[in-house]
Amino acid sequence: MRLRALLDTDALGLRLLGGEDELERGVRGVMTTDLRDPSRYLSGGELVLTGLAWRRDAADSEPFVRILAQAGVAAVAAGTAELGDVPDDLVVACARHRLPLFAVHESVAFATITEHVVRQVSGERAGDLAAVVDRHRRMMTSGPAGGGPEVVLDLLGSDLDLRAWVLSPTGRLIAGSKAAGPSLPADVCARLAAEQLAASRTGRRGPYRVTQGQTTYSLFPVRGSGRSAPASHDVRETVLSDWVLAVEADAGDWAEERLDLLHGVTQLIAVERDRRDAARTVRRRLAQEVLELVQTGAAPAEIAARLRVAAPVLLPGLGAAPHWQVVVAHVDWDGGEVDGGPVAQALLEEILVDPGATGPEHSDRIAVAHTGDEAVALVPLPAVTGEHDGPGTGILADALLASVRDPLTAGLDGDGRLTLGVSAAVHSAEGLRGALEEARHARRVAAARQGRVCAAGHQELASHVLLLPFVPDDVRRAFTARLLDPLRDYDRRHRAELIPTLEAFLDCDGSWTRCASRLHLHVNTLRYRVGRIEQLTGRDLSRLEDKLDFFLALRMS
C-alpha cells in the first residue's frame, strides 16, 4: 500500500508534517520503536511508529532520522502523547533526509495503525514477517534462549493471521499460537502427524497438504538445525523424531516468498528443538551409566548409588527414593542398513511423555540409553506411601501402544517395525536387573505379534498369552482349522452365529443363564447352538480340556 492511502484513512489520525512529494512510497510493514538505534531490526519499507522516548534533546533527532533513512524506511509517524507536539528538530531532520513525517493524534493507539497496515498489505505480508523473523533469529542466536516455539507461532498469528501448531512425530501437541485458540483435538493431531510421516518417507519436499473435515492444513517438517543431512542421508534416520509445523491454510497457491518464510520459521523452531535436545544429554548419560552397571553385573550398592544421583535430576524435590520402571524399544528396518538404536532412543523420549500433556518439558523425567538397535528407558515413579508402600499405576503397554500406533505405523511405511516391552515397577537396585530382563522378554513377545507397532507388558508374562506367539505358524493354522473351520463353514451357509456363541459361552465361564442374557437368547436356543457346536467338532463343552482347546483356538485365530 502507499503512504497516501494511510493519510486518506481518517480513522488512523495521521497528519502530514513533511514529505508530501514522497507519498507514493510503498509501505511493506510496521515497526514500533523507542530505541535510539533500531537499525538491526529494520529491513526497509517500514512505517516506523515512535513515541519519541528516545529523544532527550534536539540533537538526538538528526542521528535517529539518519539511521532510519539509511535503513530505507518508508516514513516516520510520531506520537504526540509524550511531548504534546512533534518537535521542530525532528521535522527539520526528516525534511533534510527526504523522509515523510506524520503526527499521530493522541487518541489513536499505535496498535490500531499497526493492525490496519498489516491487514492492508496483504500482498507483501510475507516480506514484513520476514523482517520480524530475521530479528527473532538474531535475538535467539546472539542472546539467551527465546520464549520457545510459541513466540514464533504468535508472530505467524499477528503478522499473517495464520493459526499454527507444533506437533511431535506421535501427534502430541508441543506448542500453539495464541491466535490458534483451543488445542487441536487429539485425533486431528494424530492424523496430521501420520500424514507428515508418510509424506516424509516418500522424499517429497514440504509442505504437505491434508484435509481434515472441512479444514485444510499445510504441514512443514521441523528438522534439527544441527542435523544437516549429507547427500547419502537416509530419511529413516530422522523421520521418526522430526517435529512438524501444522498451519491451518492451503499452501498450494502461496507465493515462493511466503513458502520460503515458513521454511525459515521451521528453522527457528528447530533452534529451540536443538536446545531442548541438548538438555537431555545429562539424562542420557545417567541412563547409560546405570544400564552399563546393570548389564555388567555390578554390585547392587554401586547401582543404588548411581540411582541416587539420577533421582533428583529426574524428579527434583522428591523426598523419598522412587520406584523405577524399565521400557525397552527396538526399531528394525528391512535390510538392516540403518542403525535402529538412536532412532529408538529418540522415539522412547517422545513416546513416554504423557500424550495428554502439552510442551516438551514433561520429558525431563525420562532417561533413555541405547545399545545396538535397542533403546532402554529408565523411568522414575514417585513412591506412594500406604499400606503396601507400593508404586502407583506406572506405565501400561496398552496405553503406550494406543497413543502412538497410527502415526508411527505411517512413518515405518512397510519396511520397519517398532516393538516395545514394559517391566513391572521395582523399588530397589536389586530389582533393576530383573526389570530389564522382564522388559526385554516382553518386547520379544511383542515382536512375535503381527503389526508394524507392537507392545507387551509384564502382566502378559504370567499368562498363557506368553506362549501363543511362539507356537509355529503351521501348528497354529492346523490347530485352529481343525476346531473352528467346521463352525465357520456352518455359519457361512446358515448364518447361525456359532462362533460368536462359542466366544460368549467361554467368556461367561459356561454359565447358561449369563450367556443367554448377554446374547439376548432363550436358554433353549443357546443349548441348541452349543449342541450344534459339539456335534460339528466332536468336542464336549462340559469338559475343561475341550473348553481350553476352544479358548486357545479362538485366541490364535
Side-chain angles (χ1 to χ4, degrees):
M1 68 179 304
R2 304 296 177 185
L3 288 174
R4 189 178 302 280
L6 291 176
L7 188 62
D8 293 339
T9 305
D10 294 337
L12 299 183
L14 296 178
R15 179 166 53 91
L16 184 65
L17 300 181
E20 185 173 359
D21 295 337
E22 306 292 332
L23 290 181
E24 293 305 314
R25 288 188 182 186
V27 180
R28 297 179 56 220
V30 184
M31 180 189 174
T32 301
T33 184
D34 279 312
L35 295 175
R36 296 170 64 84
D37 181 4
S39 59
R40 65 180 297 193
Y41 303 122
L42 297 170
S43 62
E46 296 93 343
L47 171 65
V48 175
L49 304 176
T50 179
L52 304 179
W54 49 267
R55 183 184 179 278
R56 289 172 296 188
D57 55 48
D60 291 333
S61 292
E62 169 62 26
F64 178 80
V65 173
R66 183 173 61 252
I67 288 170
L68 298 187
Q70 290 173 349
V73 305
V76 178
T80 59
E82 180 76 15
L83 301 179
D85 204 350
V86 177
D88 291 340
D89 46 271
L90 181 59
V91 176
V92 171
C94 287
R96 181 181 299 116
H97 291 279
R98 301 181 62 84
L99 188 62
L101 174 64
F102 299 96
V104 182
H105 194 274
E106 62 181 8
S107 65
V108 179
F110 282 178
T112 301
I113 299 174
T114 300
E115 181 180 359
H116 177 83
V117 172
V118 169
R119 292 188 180 279
Q120 291 299 315
V121 190
S122 57
E124 300 185 27
R125 285 178 182 170
D128 174 65
L129 185 56
V132 181
V133 169
D134 186 60
R135 178 183 68 189
H136 193 69
R137 179 184 289 111
R138 291 197 297 268
M139 291 171 62
M140 293 179 70
T141 55
S142 64
E150 292 85 356
V151 173
V152 184
L153 298 184
D154 286 341
L155 292 176
L156 287 176
S158 62
D159 287 64
L160 287 184
D161 293 330
L162 290 177
R163 288 158 46 89
W165 302 264
V166 177
L167 307 177
S168 78
T170 63
R172 181 173 61 87
L173 182 64
I174 292 173
S177 63
K178 295 175 183 177
S183 297
L184 284 176
D187 60 330
V188 175
C189 290
R191 165 82 192 285
L192 296 181
E195 292 287 347
Q196 188 271 332
L197 288 172
S200 292
R201 290 301 309 276
T202 68
R204 289 192 290 119
R205 184 175 183 267
Y208 319 118
R209 287 176 290 162
V210 180
T211 299
Q212 182 76 11
Q214 301 298 316
T215 306
T216 298
Y217 299 89
S218 296
L219 309 179
F220 297 80
V222 178
R223 299 187 172 95
S225 61
R227 293 180 288 167
S228 55
S232 60
H233 169 72
D234 191 318
V235 68
R236 294 176 295 181
E237 295 175 4
T238 58
V239 67
L240 296 180
S241 58
D242 289 337
W243 289 357
V244 58
L245 172 65
V247 180
E248 189 182 291
D250 186 345
D253 57 355
W254 281 6
E256 195 65 31
E257 293 80 8
R258 179 172 288 207
L259 288 174
D260 289 343
L261 170 64
L262 265 293
H263 287 299
V265 169
T266 66
Q267 293 172 9
L268 282 183
I269 297 172
V271 171
E272 187 65 21
R273 165 71 186 274
D274 287 345
R275 283 201 176 103
R276 290 173 178 179
D277 280 350
R280 293 175 174 173
T281 303
V282 173
R283 298 193 299 278
R284 285 179 171 180
R285 186 166 60 247
L286 286 171
Q288 200 74 42
E289 291 173 355
V290 173
L291 178 61
E292 290 174 0
L293 290 174
V294 171
Q295 292 192 133
T296 57
E302 188 176 358
I303 299 174
R306 182 54 54 189
L307 290 178
R308 284 194 294 272
V309 173
V313 174
L314 301 178
L315 287 175
L318 189 68
H323 296 269
W324 301 90
Q325 261 184 299
V326 175
V327 181
V328 172
H330 203 279
V331 173
D332 297 289
W333 298 103
D334 292 351
E337 65 274 10
V338 177
D339 187 2
V343 179
Q345 182 181 45
L347 269 180
L348 266 189
E349 288 172 334
E350 167 56 37
I351 290 172
L352 293 176
V353 179
D354 179 359
T358 57
E361 68 277 2
H362 300 272
S363 62
D364 290 349
R365 296 187 174 188
I366 300 160
V368 186
H370 78 82
T371 172
D373 287 337
E374 178 186 73
V376 179
L378 190 65
V379 183
L381 304 172
V384 178
T385 56
E387 180 181 352
H388 301 290
D389 195 28
T393 303
I395 299 167
L396 300 177
D398 288 346
L400 282 184
L401 193 61
S403 64
V404 302
R405 181 195 284 115
D406 291 345
L408 293 185
T409 297
L412 292 163
D413 192 36
D415 66 345
R417 289 197 77 204
L418 168 67
T419 50
L420 301 163
V422 182
S423 78
V426 295
H427 66 278
S428 67
E430 288 85 351
L432 204 56
R433 184 177 182 84
L436 176 60
E437 291 306 314
E438 187 174 57
R440 283 175 169 165
H441 200 58
R443 192 206 64 79
R444 287 193 288 270
V445 171
R449 295 173 175 166
Q450 298 296 316
R452 289 289 166 186
V453 181
C454 300
H458 60 92
Q459 303 94 333
E460 300 177 59
L461 303 186
S463 166
H464 68 280
V465 177
L466 171 65
L467 303 175
L468 297 185
F470 301 102
V471 177
D473 287 345
D474 54 347
V475 175
R476 291 159 65 97
R477 285 192 294 268
F479 181 73
T480 57
R482 186 166 58 251
L483 280 176
L484 301 182
D485 279 2
L487 305 182
R488 292 184 179 125
D489 291 341
Y490 192 87
D491 280 348
R492 201 160 35 244
R493 293 195 310 270
H494 302 284
R495 298 182 181 179
E497 298 188 354
L498 296 185
I499 291 288
T501 300
L502 175 62
E503 292 174 332
F505 186 73
L506 295 175
D507 196 41
C508 292
D509 298 324
S511 168
W512 297 99
T513 55
R514 281 195 292 125
C515 183
S517 176
R518 173 180 295 188
L519 296 175
H520 305 290
L521 299 174
H522 192 278
V523 173
N524 288 342
T525 303
L526 176 61
R527 289 185 184 278
Y528 171 80
R529 289 188 182 180
V530 170
R532 179 63 66 184
I533 292 171
E534 293 174 335
Q535 180 185 19
L536 291 170
T537 60
R539 298 299 185 106
D540 182 356
L541 279 169
S542 66
R543 287 165 39 89
L544 176 61
E545 293 88 344
D546 287 342
K547 287 180 181 176
L548 182 58
D549 283 349
F550 277 121
F551 178 80
L552 293 174
L554 289 168
R555 281 299 184 97
M556 288 191 294
S557 64

